[in-house]
Structures are given as C-alpha cells and as structure tokens.
Amino acid sequence: MESIIKWQEQTLGEKVVKALQNNEFHAIYVQSKEEAVAFIMYHINKGTVVGIGGSVTIGQLNIERNIIENGGTLLKHTEGSTDKERVEIMRKQLLSDVYLCSSNAVTLDGYLVNIDGAGNRVAAMTFGPKKTIIIVGVNKIVKDEASAFETLKLGACPLNNKRLNLQNPCTVGGICTECNSNRRICRIYSTIKRRPIRSDITVVVVGEHLGF
C-alpha cells in the first residue's frame, strides 16, 4: 500500500514541477528532505544572509545549524523577540541573500497559493531577496486555486492558529469561519501564477509530508 501512495505522490509531484517550469519558475523534485537541505546548502556560503519565514516545513528540515556552520547569518524571529524586533527582522529579510519559506499549497497547474497575516512572507516570495527557495511537501499539492483555499480553511489556517495559541474561532471549531476577530491572522490571500519578473525563485517539491 505504501508503495502505491509513494507512486501517486511522486507522479503528482513531478507533474507539479513541470507546471511550475511552464510558469517560468525554476522547480525540481527531490525524494527526501535531506536532498532538499543539500540543495539549500549549495546556495549558502560564508557571509550569506539567510532569511527564514515563519514555517513549520523549514523547521522540520533542521537546517539552522548547517547554515551557521557554513558561515551564514540567520535572520529569524524568535519567541523572545519584542514586536518591534520582529518587524525589524521581517524588513531585513526582504533584502536577504537567500530567503527560505514554504507555500501553503501548490496547484497541479503550477500556482503557489498562500494565506498570510502580516504579509511579510508573501512579500519576500514575490520581490526583494536575491534568491528565494520555497520548500513544498507533496501533502500540499491540490487540484486548483479554488480547492487550495478550501483546503487551507480546513488545514493550515486552524492548525497555525492553534500552533500560535491564538484564541480565534477556528481554534475551537477546528475550521476557518471567516471570523472578524482582531486576532485573525488570515488577512492576505495570495496566488502567484507565474514567476515574478525580477525574482529568482526555486520551488523544491519534496516527496515527503512536510508542514501543513
């Protein structure tokens, strides 16, 4: 049974990569997160400034020590940071040498679909960093743009609210209700249909389940 699931995931992953390439993204398919880490580290040398967007996927790569050992400088908000410090780091990430993040969903026709709170992640994905690397597990593949947003309402949106311990309706009911809470973090809905003109973006589709 596992081999059948792997077959489908790889088939869809490779299909998504071709669609992304048709949309002018640089895109590759790798089997494992270790291969994804190796690809990232190829772009990081001594003095490379690396911005990391808030991402469960990137956290699962356990890549921060590798970056530091390679002489890279990390730009990442930490739990102990003040709001002012977080905003300053977000601004600096827009000018990083390499920006690492994930996408909430990727469609079979090669669109990157995201929902953000502050918008710093989708801003960096579209313009600013010299190089943006987007890591996407095969679990984030969806049919199309409409199904992407529906999937996020059931998955990433309530799960991220719960992860951040936010007292919004979705952390009670387990699904997005399009609430009017002043603590709402689903504020910017973004679809990137083609590679932004002046951005160097690689989408790495990984044959594992990463993030949500």
Side-chain angles (χ1 to χ4, degrees), residues 16-58:
V16 164
V17 164
K18 289 180 181 178
L20 286 163
Q21 291 170 347
N22 287 338
N23 292 339
E24 301 181 39
F25 292 96
H26 177 234
I28 61 172
Y29 179 85
V30 298
Q31 294 284 356
S32 67
K33 61 183 180 181
E34 288 76 19
E35 291 176 85
V37 168
F39 178 85
I40 292 170
M41 294 310 302
Y42 175 81
H43 295 83
I44 297 171
N45 302 298
K46 185 175 181 180
T48 304
V49 177
V50 183
I52 298 181
S55 170
V56 173
T57 294
I58 301 301

Side-chain angles (χ1 to χ4, degrees), residues 82-207:
T82 65
D83 189 59
K84 183 178 180 180
E85 289 169 337
R86 286 195 188 95
V87 171
E88 185 60 27
I89 290 170
M90 290 176 184
R91 292 182 186 279
K92 289 180 179 178
Q93 288 175 341
L94 295 173
L95 297 176
S96 56
D97 297 313
V98 176
Y99 185 75
L100 305 177
C101 65
S102 186
S103 181
N104 292 130
V106 57
T107 70
L108 289 176
D109 44 5
Y111 296 174
L112 299 172
V113 180
N114 290 280
I115 298 178
D116 244 16
N120 58 297
R121 177 175 59 112
V122 294
M125 287 172 76
T126 54
F127 182 77
K130 292 179 181 177
K131 175 73 180 178
T132 298
I133 301 176
I134 302 171
I135 307 295
V136 183
V138 288
N139 53 303
K140 294 187 176 183
I141 296 173
V142 296
K143 182 182 178 182
D144 53 31
E145 186 179 3
S147 60
F149 285 119
E150 287 304 312
T151 300
L152 295 185
K153 286 182 178 181
L154 185 62
C157 294
L159 292 173
N160 275 316
N161 273 271
K162 193 70 174 178
R163 175 175 66 89
L164 297 171
N165 197 29
L166 296 172
Q167 301 305 307
N168 286 321
C170 62
T171 62
V172 177
I175 187 172
C176 174
T177 60
E178 292 289 355
C179 70
N180 291 317
S181 169
N182 60 7
R183 294 180 296 271
R184 174 174 172 152
I185 59 171
C186 300
R187 293 173 178 262
I188 295 95
Y189 290 63
S190 166
T191 301
I192 306 175
K193 295 190 174 184
R194 298 186 77 86
R195 179 187 59 80
I197 294 171
R198 291 180 173 82
S199 294
D200 179 359
I201 300 174
T202 296
V203 182
V204 182
V205 180
V206 185

